[in-house]
Amino acid sequence: MTKKAATGTEKTQRAGRNEKAAPAKKSAPVKKAAAANAKQPAAAKKSASAKKTAPARKSPSAKKTAPVKKQAPAKKPVVAPKKAAAAVEGVAPAKTVAAQPPRGESRTALVRRARRIDRELAEVYPYAHPELDFENPFQLVVATVLSAQTTDLRVNQTTPALFAKYPTPEDLAAANPEEVEEILRPTGFFRAKTKSVIGLSKVLAEDFGGEVPGRLEDLVKLPGVGRKTAFVVLGNAFGRPGITVDTHFQRLVRRWRWTEATDPDKIEAAVGALFPKSDWTDLSHHVIWHGRRICHARKPACGACPVAPLCPAYGEGETDPEKAEKLLKYEKGGFPGQRLNPPRSYLEAGGKPAPPLGAG
């Protein structure tokens, strides 16, 4: 046999052995595959456990976010109390009120909501009136100037002695400042107030014949008289509509989102545009009375508020009806009012006159 033939025979024999060995090599991968398959469940279990443990890793962050989720109820709509909701016609007792004003509230919707609030307040305070005692325009303008930085009650307890001694502008214009200061001392800032009331009395006596003018442009020329005081006088002494933007009025119209303005003149313009001019004076009384009795600055009695379903700020104060009822003031809480001589309508509604100075 030649070398080439031997070589060929050896190659053939090796090829045959390789072909016979091939199945054995292929069986090895099968065993490996089987082993791999056997390992896969374990891997799957590990992966499953890994997946299960993944949330465990996320759980710390979830726990961290838990306080945020707990705070969520504060952002959810607050349910108005049944008592307050029932006071509004057509509103279900369980009506919810958003803690924030509706986004994109249209102008028409704002006007309707504002006017509805005023109608509801008119039913709650049908006897609303200026809470300063007065018998004529002169007494009203003086009392309104004195009411700055004090209560109407304190003014009403002070003015009887003042007007008994100085009944006319001419009398007060010629008064001894020291004597007037002594009378006005209980109202606070008595020196500045004495200067104002004597000064406006002199202007009335010299420029207006001792009569209080019935025009805004004339009233604001008097010492100590601004637009707020002028509108009080125009609306309640002359029957000419005006909006009185005092501290209560400012607070409530912002809570109701009628305006975001803080300047009194801008508030007056913004709110005035929501109502007919003929409603301005009564609107002022309704808002101010509500602010003094229920919608307080620090602790509003939300649970006893008749306009709660219409108020975007519902929930800022006490929402429990029983606790809220204890926060009510004046006739709503069973206490005396601010006027020593209130109108008959107020007394017939259960209101009580205020005590004179020194009586309580």
Side-chain angles (χ1 to χ4, degrees):
M1 186 181 294
T2 61
K3 291 182 180 179
K4 291 183 179 179
T7 303
T9 302
E10 291 175 357
K11 289 182 178 180
T12 303
Q13 291 175 350
R14 284 197 297 270
R17 286 195 298 270
N18 290 340
E19 288 176 0
K20 291 179 181 179
K25 289 183 179 179
K26 288 182 180 178
S27 63
V30 172
K31 291 180 181 180
K32 290 181 180 179
N37 291 335
K39 292 180 180 179
Q40 281 179 357
K45 290 180 181 179
K46 289 182 180 180
S47 63
S49 62
K51 290 180 180 178
K52 288 180 180 178
T53 55
R57 293 179 181 176
K58 294 181 180 178
S59 61
S61 61
K63 290 180 181 178
K64 291 180 181 179
T65 57
V68 179
K69 291 182 180 179
K70 288 181 181 179
Q71 294 175 359
K75 298 180 181 179
K76 290 181 180 179
V78 184
V79 179
K82 294 181 180 180
K83 182 177 179 181
V88 182
E89 184 179 355
V91 178
K95 182 178 179 64
T96 57
V97 183
Q100 296 295 329
R103 290 184 179 180
E105 183 179 38
S106 68
R107 177 72 178 178
T108 300
L110 172 61
V111 171
R112 288 176 178 172
R113 182 167 63 86
R115 294 185 182 184
R116 186 173 179 184
I117 288 176
D118 184 45
R119 289 196 302 271
E120 299 300 332
L121 294 181
E123 294 183 7
V124 177
Y125 310 107
Y127 43 77
H129 57 271
E131 294 191 273
L132 290 170
D133 284 326
F134 69 98
E135 296 178 357
N136 53 57
F138 171 63
Q139 291 186 0
L140 180 57
V141 69
V142 170
T144 306
V145 170
L146 296 178
S147 68
Q149 304 298 318
T150 191
T151 63
D152 288 355
L153 171 60
R154 183 61 68 195
V155 174
N156 292 334
Q157 292 174 329
T158 304
T159 50
L162 179 69
F163 296 136
K165 192 169 185 177
Y166 311 105
T168 67
E170 291 81 3
D171 294 328
L172 190 52
N176 182 333
E178 293 182 356
E179 294 179 0
V180 176
E181 286 179 1
E182 191 60 31
I183 295 174
L184 300 184
R185 185 180 293 271
T187 66
F189 302 97
F190 57 92
R191 291 188 179 87
K193 291 179 179 180
T194 295
K195 184 177 180 181
S196 293
V197 297
I198 290 179
L200 71 84
S201 296
K202 288 181 178 179
V203 174
L204 291 176
E206 297 172 1
D207 299 344
F208 296 98
E211 300 291 335
V212 176
R215 299 193 312 165
L216 176 64
E217 53 268 35
D218 292 330
L219 284 169
V220 295
K221 293 178 182 178
L222 302 176
V225 176
R227 290 179 67 86
K228 183 191 81 171
T229 299
F231 280 129
V232 170
V233 175
L234 290 173
N236 298 286
F238 294 97
R240 297 176 183 174
I243 294 179
T244 304
V245 184
D246 72 346
T247 181
H248 301 289
F249 194 94
Q250 292 183 49
R251 181 177 70 255
L252 267 63
V253 298
R254 284 198 293 269
R255 278 181 177 168
W256 293 333
R257 304 299 191 269
W258 288 2
T259 178
E260 296 298 328
T262 56
D263 178 74
D265 292 347
K266 292 181 179 179
I267 292 174
E268 176 195 324
V271 175
L274 301 175
F275 296 87
K277 191 173 182 179
S278 58
D279 292 349
W280 288 357
T281 300
D282 287 339
L283 168 68
S284 299
H285 292 324
H286 298 155
V287 175
I288 293 171
W289 274 57
H290 191 58
R292 287 174 172 172
R293 285 150 177 79
I294 297 178
C295 195
H296 313 306
R298 294 184 181 178
K299 213 170 183 181
C302 295
C305 179
V307 296
L310 302 171
C311 179
Y314 174 77
E316 287 186 6
E318 181 58 64
T319 57
D320 181 81
E322 293 183 1
K323 293 180 181 179
E325 190 173 356
K326 296 179 181 179
L327 300 174
L328 304 183
K329 296 183 178 179
Y330 304 114
E331 77 285 350
K332 293 301 180 184
F335 305 106
Q338 298 202 77
R339 291 188 65 165
L340 277 66
N341 299 298
R344 181 184 297 274
S345 59
Y346 179 72
L347 297 174
E348 291 176 349
K352 301 175 184 179
L357 187 64

